[in-house]
Amino acid sequence: QSIGLNAGDGNTKYNQTVGGIAPLKSFTVKDGKTFTATDITTDGGDLKLSVRDDINTSNLTANGTSTGAVNISLGKVGTQLFNSIGNVSTGKIAAKQVDVLSDGGFTAKDNITTREGDVNILGLKGISVTGVTAVKGGTSLTSGTGGITATGDLVSDTGFSALAKGSITTNKIESKQDVVILSSSAGAIAVNGLINAKSDVSLAAPLSVTSQGITSTDGSVALISAKSTVKANGAIAAVEDITLGAAKGITAQKIATSLGSVNLVSTGGSIYTNTSINSAFDVILSADGYIKVGNIVSQGGLVSLDSGGTTTAGVITTKGGEAFLYSGDSLNVRNIISGGGNI
């Protein structure tokens, strides 16, 4: 059987598990001011919640082969829009696909897992999740006025994106077949775990951008801070270009690209990477302050170091390209090996 509810201006509350003993084909809340429940399970159909002001549940499970989606809408009921005074809060969510539209915030206190579909969450005032796993699907987290926090692993088969006005904080991110994109329009970005992607990896924010190790097996990597620092606390490896840009300082570890170039630009600070840079083509480092770098290898391009302060480098090797070194203060280079280019 199926259950469909329309509470209108009223509230709905379930004190016991729904669908735990007698499986429900589907469960739908079409309207109501608030909805409160413990666990809800469907077997074969969708689980849909459309409420005006507040949604608070425990675990939501939609079991189905062709359907079995979880769809949550707060502040939009049918074609009507409401200024919600509450938020959406859930426990674990398991379904074929998960779609959440919240006029308030969204909090998932346990993991979100899809079997063959996407995870799409739009929480206007902020998003807080633990882990998200999208099997045969992608993950999209969007907050129009708030930030995004993920305390667990974020794993998607076909791409991951987190877009917010506020700050974004995550742990491990994996996109097995596509991109990883994190963008904050007014805050900072901090990724406290590894990022692994098949395609491009892009982290961009006006405030600080902090990452651990990053691997792109078939794309590029870009870390950009428009007003603050970039701190890459782990190795960065990519097939295509690697770009780090910051208004203030840049701190990086080992950098390697097999078919691209490396560009590090600090318009108002210094660049510090005391390990190696290995590039298929050009290596360009430009800083308003000092540059301190370890060994540099360019397999088929030029090496350019341009600093307003002291420039310190290990062994610089160009296999056919030129080497340009400029310092506003002292210049300290251990050795320069040119395979045919000018110095």
Side-chain angles (χ1 to χ4, degrees):
Q1 63 177 355
S2 298
I3 292 179
L5 301 173
N6 188 334
D9 293 331
N11 304 309
T12 302
K13 183 175 182 179
Y14 281 92
N15 293 320
Q16 296 181 343
T17 299
V18 179
I21 298 175
L24 296 173
K25 183 177 180 181
S26 63
F27 183 88
T28 302
V29 175
K30 298 180 180 179
D31 195 5
K33 291 187 67 178
T34 68
F35 179 81
T36 304
T38 56
D39 295 353
I40 303 174
T41 301
T42 65
D43 189 6
D46 297 335
L47 196 164
K48 299 181 179 180
L49 307 176
S50 297
V51 177
R52 303 177 189 181
D53 279 337
D54 192 77
I55 296 173
N56 194 326
T57 74
S58 294
N59 300 332
L60 303 176
T61 305
N63 295 314
T65 53
S66 59
T67 56
V70 168
N71 187 298
I72 299 172
S73 178
L74 180 70
K76 183 180 181 182
V77 177
T79 59
Q80 287 186 290
L81 300 178
F82 299 89
N83 292 320
S84 301
I85 60 174
N87 302 290
V88 176
S89 178
T90 73
K92 178 171 63 178
I93 301 177
K96 181 176 182 179
Q97 176 152 328
V98 174
D99 293 290
V100 177
L101 173 63
S102 174
D103 190 49
F106 173 80
T107 299
K109 299 175 183 178
D110 206 334
N111 293 335
I112 299 173
T113 304
T114 61
R115 296 184 299 276
E116 296 180 11
D118 299 331
V119 176
N120 298 306
I121 300 173
L122 194 159
L124 178 65
K125 299 176 182 178
I127 296 172
S128 178
V129 297
T130 50
V132 176
T133 301
V135 178
K136 296 183 181 180
T139 299
S140 172
L141 309 178
T142 305
S143 178
T145 62
I148 296 172
T149 301
T151 58
D153 293 348
L154 304 169
V155 181
S156 301
D157 280 348
T158 60
F160 175 87
S161 68
L163 312 177
K165 180 178 181 179
S167 295
I168 300 172
T169 303
T170 73
N171 273 316
K172 175 184 175 182
I173 304 174
E174 182 175 2
S175 176
K176 296 180 180 179
Q177 301 174 25
D178 212 328
V179 302
V180 170
I181 298 174
L182 278 67
S183 178
S184 168
S185 62
I189 293 175
V191 180
N192 299 316
L194 300 177
I195 298 177
N196 293 295
K198 181 177 177 59
S199 189
D200 298 339
V201 175
S202 174
L203 280 60
L207 303 184
S208 62
V209 174
T210 305
S211 70
Q212 308 306 312
I214 300 175
T215 301
S216 171
T217 59
D218 197 24
S220 62
V221 174
L223 309 181
I224 306 295
S225 171
K227 298 179 180 180
S228 189
T229 60
V230 167
K231 295 181 180 179
N233 295 323
I236 300 177
V239 172
E240 298 180 5
D241 293 345
I242 297 175
T243 303
L244 277 60
K248 296 182 179 179
I250 294 174
T251 303
Q253 303 299 316
K254 182 178 180 181
I255 297 174
T257 171
S258 57
L259 294 176
S261 299
V262 174
N263 295 274
L264 277 61
V265 178
S266 174
T267 57
S270 299
I271 296 173
Y272 178 84
T273 170
N274 208 26
T275 54
S276 63
I277 296 177
N278 196 316
S279 175
F281 297 105
D282 297 342
V283 176
I284 299 175
L285 277 62
S286 176
D288 182 62
Y290 70 82
I291 292 176
K292 186 172 184 180
V293 62
N295 297 337
I296 298 175
V297 177
S298 172
Q299 303 290 345
L302 63 84
V303 173
S304 174
L305 307 182
D306 185 351
S307 77
T310 301
T311 296
T312 305
V315 178
I316 297 176
T317 303
T318 65
K319 299 182 179 181
E322 298 177 319
F324 299 94
L325 284 77
Y326 176 82
S327 174
D329 196 341
S330 61
L331 182 63
N332 304 297
V333 179
R334 183 179 302 171
N335 197 4
I336 301 175
I337 303 171
S338 174
N342 296 322
I343 297 174

